[in-house]
Each structure stands twice: as structure tokens, then as C-alpha cells.
Amino acid sequence: MLRVIIFCDVCNPQGIRYIEQKRSTQRGDTEGRRITDGRSWFEGSLQGALDEGWSHDGKLHTCPRCLERKNKS
């Protein structure tokens, strides 16, 4: 089975993914965000990421948290 992982080009341009360091979803944090530095990824299809609030403008994938920060500035 092919696994697709989308990395946020804003907060995780190096494509770092360590599942064991993922924040607990019980804390209300988005799945796929690391405890240590907040870098984000999404495991699933591009459409699945878009359905979860990610953005893709043809060049960059952007996680919902980075989109929120961008819209506030």
C-alpha cells in the first residue's frame, strides 16, 4: 500500500515526520504536529488534506495553523 504524506511548506519545509513525537489529540492539537517544534504534516490524499483545512496553491502545501497565522497578519 502506498502511503501519501503531505508536509507543510511553511512550518515543515524539510519534511520532518516523527510519529512518536506527535502531540496528543486529547489536548485539542491537530494530528501530525510535533511536540518539540510544531512542524506539521498530513498523512492521506491531497483531497483529504484540503477537506481538513489545508491549502494547496499549485506550489505550496500549507497547514491550517499556518493559514490562520497568515490571515491574522
Side-chain angles (χ1 to χ4, degrees):
M1 181 171 151
L2 178 66
R3 294 173 69 182
V4 177
I5 301 168
I6 298 169
F7 298 97
C8 180
D9 289 308
V10 177
C11 68
N12 194 4
Q14 295 174 321
I16 297 172
R17 176 180 167 265
Y18 296 114
I19 292 176
E20 67 275 5
Q21 294 182 357
K22 184 171 59 177
R23 288 186 189 259
S24 169
T25 55
Q26 295 173 353
R27 291 180 35 181
D29 294 316
T30 305
E31 242 183 273
R33 189 169 294 280
R34 287 177 31 167
I35 293 171
T36 53
D37 58 12
R39 294 179 186 187
S40 188
W41 72 87
F42 180 84
E43 186 170 342
S45 68
L46 177 57
Q47 187 57 52
L50 295 173
D51 292 345
E52 293 293 321
W54 283 63
S55 169
H56 177 67
D57 67 4
K59 293 182 182 180
L60 299 176
H61 296 98
T62 309
C63 72
R65 191 174 194 183
C66 289
L67 284 173
E68 184 179 322
R69 275 189 249 150
K70 178 182 174 185
N71 291 334
K72 284 184 179 182
S73 60

